């Protein structure tokens, strides 16, 4: 049977702290922690297995649209990548740099933004670092600057509905449409994009000055004339091995234009609310498979190739459905937030979402992304609501404050991939990038407050 408020608070906190601790220690996977530990807590409170089934059904109903959208979005952009849709654009941007340090920085940010369109950080780094690293080395530019610019631009683009953070937020808020959440944050995303461009220009001039100083001190040799065409050829050879063009696009160049039109149509349908994103991407995947692959075997091979990336997040979100269903239906979240009301000083309460948002990047280094959104966000959301702050405003504050730090955290596997591709060191990278990333996140959060996206 249901315990009293104090027991609900204690058990709820134990569940959340245990999940966060085990995730940080990498002792459990997110789906295991968010499935088993809440079940054990509910059983301790006296609920039956039948109650757990009811909680799961309610939690699953809240997240199913997000799960479907995420699966088909990842597969859709995976197929577009298989068709070579983005490679000509990358090639063109590389040629446009002309070996100029400032332009290279700007193009790096642009490439990171475009490559992150599929919501997968690993693909962004795989596409961009092999293409840009030889250019950075030839110009004596820092490989850590390369990773930082890609990290910032990819993080801003990662606010899209099929990106991991927004999908997690939609799950916690039980939002019927993740698109509706995204619409509110689009102005911040656009401003973030322009800020990244401005920052890349600043970094370019700063890097140019650093290189010039090193050359004058005799620590670096004078930069040789860069053969951009040779570097682009190297990029094409590398990508041909890592991401070979598949299906009809290998034989017919016109298929790329058809894919580009299809991508544009899917985005317009989704953004104009003609259809929900899960429907738009599901139809898009079906059409893309028919357009790009002749046989059923080829179509199934591509689905199998992209299924691991798609299902990984889908499984986590289903696990989160169990976690949130139990904590919500048992009253644990409400009990925790009510208890926090008595602890938090009255003047601080209305700003708790902003305070947590400001520390979003450091928290990303202390916790995993799943722990931040599935364990911390529910508590802050419920607590802030007691002071009249809307749950959407709380979510925006925490997303903006945290998402910029996505690719500086050692808990993000994509970061380790980036470091490996760039032959860089994690400790040096954090030292190089952390305060720039944190400062950028705080500035973006302040802008969100000024334009009214985040209430204060």
């Amino acid at each position: 049977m249901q315990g009293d408020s104090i027991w609900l608070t204690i058990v709820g906190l134990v569940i959340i702290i245990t999940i966060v601790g085990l995730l940080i220690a990498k002792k459990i996977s997110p789906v295991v922690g968010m499935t088993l530990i809440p079940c054990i807590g509910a059983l301790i409170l006296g609920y039956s297995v039948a109650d757990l089934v009811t909680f799961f059904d309610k939690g699953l109903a809240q997240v199913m649209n997000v799960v479907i959208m995420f699966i088909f979005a990842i597969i859709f952009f995976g197929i577009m990548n298989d068709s070579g849709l983005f490679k000509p654009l990358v090639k063109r941007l590389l040629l446009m740099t002309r070996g100029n340090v400032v332009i290279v920085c700007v193009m790096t940010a642009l490439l990171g933004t475009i490559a992150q369109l599929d919501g997968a950080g690993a693909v962004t780094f795989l596409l961009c670092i092999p293409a840009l690293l030889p250019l950075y080395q030839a110009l004596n530019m820092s490989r850590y600057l390369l990773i930082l610019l890609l990290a910032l631009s990819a993080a801003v683009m990662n606010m899209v509905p099929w990106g991991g953070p927004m999908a997690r937020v939609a799950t916690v808020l039980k939002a019927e449409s993740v698109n509706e959440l995204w619409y509110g944050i689009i102005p911040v995303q656009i401003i973030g994009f322009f800020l990244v461009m401005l920052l890349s220009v600043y970094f370019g001039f700063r890097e140019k000055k650093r290189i010039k100083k090193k050359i004058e001190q005799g620590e670096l040799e004078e930069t040789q004339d860069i053969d951009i065409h040779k570097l682009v050829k190297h990029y094409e050879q590398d990508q041909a091995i890592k991401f070979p063009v598949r299906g009809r696009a290998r034989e017919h160049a016109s298929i790329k234009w058809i894919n580009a039109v299809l991508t544009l149509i899917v985005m317009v349908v989704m953004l104009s609310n003609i259809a929900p994103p899960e429907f738009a991407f599901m139809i898009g995947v079906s059409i893309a498979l028919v357009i790009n692959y002749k046989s059923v075997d080829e179509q199934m091979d591509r689905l199998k190739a992209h299924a691991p990336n798609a299902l990984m997040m889908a499984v986590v979100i289903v696990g989160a459905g169990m976690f949130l269903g139990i904590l919500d239906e048992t009253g644990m979240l409400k009990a925790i937030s009510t208890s926090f009301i008595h602890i938090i000083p009255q003047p601080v309460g209305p700003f708790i979402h902003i305070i947590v948002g400001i520390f979003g990047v450091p928290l990303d280094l202390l916790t995993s992304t799943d722990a931040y959104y599935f364990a911390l966000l529910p508590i802050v959301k419920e607590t802030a609501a007691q002071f009249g702050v809307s749950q959407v405003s709380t979510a925006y504050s925490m997303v903006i404050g945290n998402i910029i730090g996505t690719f500086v955290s050692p808990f993000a596997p994509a970061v380790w991939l980036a470091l490996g591709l760039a032959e860089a060191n994690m400790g040096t990278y954090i030292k190089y990038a952390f305060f720039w990333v944190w400062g950028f996140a705080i500035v973006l959060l302040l802008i969100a407050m000024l334009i009214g996206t985040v209430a204060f």
Side-chain angles (χ1 to χ4, degrees):
M1 302 303 292
Q2 184 175 357
D4 57 23
S5 180
I6 186 64
W7 278 111
L8 286 172
T9 300
I10 292 171
V11 174
L13 287 175
V14 169
I15 289 172
I16 292 170
I17 292 170
T18 302
I19 293 174
V20 172
L22 291 175
L23 285 174
I24 291 173
K26 297 184 179 179
K27 297 296 184 182
I28 56 169
S29 65
V31 67
V32 172
M34 289 187 290
T35 300
L36 294 182
I37 296 174
C39 286
I40 294 170
L43 292 172
I44 290 173
L45 286 171
Y47 290 96
S48 66
V49 174
D51 292 326
L52 295 180
V53 173
T54 301
F55 299 156
F56 174 69
D57 287 342
K58 291 184 178 181
L60 187 63
Q62 297 164 7
V63 304
M64 189 48 65
N65 288 347
V66 177
V67 170
I68 296 171
M69 183 273 297
F70 205 94
I71 290 173
F72 284 102
I74 294 297
I75 293 174
F76 178 80
F77 285 110
I79 294 171
M80 292 301 103
N81 195 43
D82 288 339
S83 73
L85 179 63
F86 304 115
K87 289 180 182 178
L89 183 58
V90 174
K91 178 181 176 180
R92 179 57 55 188
L93 289 175
L94 282 173
L95 289 171
M96 287 172 63
T97 64
R98 302 194 306 274
N100 183 292
V101 171
V102 178
I103 298 176
V104 168
C105 287
V106 174
M107 290 304 174
T108 300
L110 279 173
L111 283 174
T113 302
I114 295 165
Q116 187 64 23
L117 188 62
D118 69 345
V123 173
T124 298
F125 294 128
L126 279 168
L127 283 170
C128 297
I129 291 179
L132 293 167
L133 185 60
L135 185 59
Y136 271 67
Q137 291 174 324
L139 292 170
N140 292 321
M141 296 175 68
S142 170
R143 65 191 68 218
Y144 294 100
L145 176 58
L146 166 60
I147 303 173
L148 172 59
L149 287 171
L150 290 175
L152 286 172
S153 55
V156 171
M157 176 55 78
N158 211 31
M159 293 180 188
V160 292
W162 53 91
M166 292 304 290
R168 290 176 175 93
V169 169
T171 301
V172 174
L173 267 55
K174 307 171 192 174
E176 293 183 4
S177 170
V178 67
N179 258 23
E180 295 295 332
L181 283 175
W182 183 41
Y183 292 154
I185 209 171
I186 284 176
V188 178
Q189 190 176 22
I190 294 172
I191 292 170
F193 170 76
F194 284 108
L195 284 178
V196 170
M197 293 301 111
L198 288 173
L199 194 59
S200 66
V201 172
Y202 167 75
F203 279 138
F205 282 109
R206 190 186 73 154
E207 189 70 358
K208 193 173 182 178
K209 184 177 179 181
R210 183 191 69 84
I211 293 168
K212 183 180 179 181
K213 184 178 180 181
K214 292 286 185 181
I215 292 173
E216 290 174 350
Q217 293 174 347
E219 297 179 26
L220 292 175
E221 294 182 5
E222 183 68 44
T223 303
Q224 302 296 312
D225 291 334
I226 304 301
D227 188 342
I228 293 295
H229 293 279
K230 185 177 179 180
L231 287 172
V232 169
K233 186 177 180 180
H234 178 273
Y235 161 75
E236 290 179 317
Q237 292 171 344
D238 182 80
Q239 291 297 293
I241 296 172
K242 288 189 173 74
F243 297 100
V245 176
R246 303 174 186 274
R248 289 194 178 98
R250 189 168 45 198
E251 304 165 8
H252 308 288
S254 60
I255 294 295
K256 291 180 182 178
W257 289 104
I258 296 173
N259 283 324
V261 173
L262 175 61
T263 302
L264 184 62
I265 291 173
V266 169
M267 298 297 290
V268 169
V269 167
M270 185 185 68
L271 294 176
S272 60
N273 263 343
I274 295 173
E278 59 271 21
F279 178 87
F281 280 120
M282 185 169 67
I283 297 298
V285 166
S286 303
I287 296 173
L289 287 172
V290 173
I291 290 173
N292 288 277
Y293 306 105
K294 298 177 182 177
S295 68
V296 174
D297 287 341
E298 281 184 302
Q299 294 174 9
M300 293 306 296
D301 283 342
R302 288 299 86 207
L303 287 175
K304 290 175 183 176
H306 298 296
N309 285 336
L311 291 177
M312 186 181 300
M313 180 55 65
V315 169
V316 171
I317 292 175
V318 171
M322 170 70 89
F323 169 78
L324 294 168
I326 290 177
L327 264 69
D328 198 24
E329 296 299 321
T330 58
M332 280 188 267
L333 278 181
K334 185 176 180 180
I336 292 170
S337 63
T338 302
S339 298
F340 273 26
I341 292 297
H342 300 295
I343 299 173
I344 298 171
Q346 190 68 26
V348 175
F351 306 102
I352 185 171
H353 59 306
I354 295 171
I355 293 170
V356 175
I358 288 173
F359 289 96
V361 172
L363 285 170
D364 213 28
L365 268 68
L366 299 174
T367 66
S368 68
T369 303
D370 292 309
Y372 182 84
Y373 288 105
F374 292 136
L376 186 58
L377 175 56
I379 295 177
V380 178
K381 171 178 74 78
E382 293 293 333
T383 304
Q386 304 296 321
F387 293 94
V389 180
S390 73
Q391 63 173 9
V392 173
S393 186
T394 299
Y396 286 159
S397 178
M398 290 186 64
V399 167
I400 295 166
N402 171 266
I403 200 170
I404 305 301
T406 299
F407 300 117
V408 75
S409 170
F411 293 108
V415 174
W416 290 102
L417 173 64
L419 294 171
L421 290 170
E423 299 177 359
N425 175 270
M426 174 62 85
T428 305
Y429 170 59
I430 292 177
K431 182 179 178 181
Y432 183 93
F434 175 76
F435 286 104
W436 284 110
V437 170
W438 191 12
F440 188 93
I442 292 174
V443 169
L444 203 58
L445 178 57
L446 291 175
I447 290 172
M449 293 165 60
L450 289 174
I451 65 176
T453 301
V454 174
F456 65 99

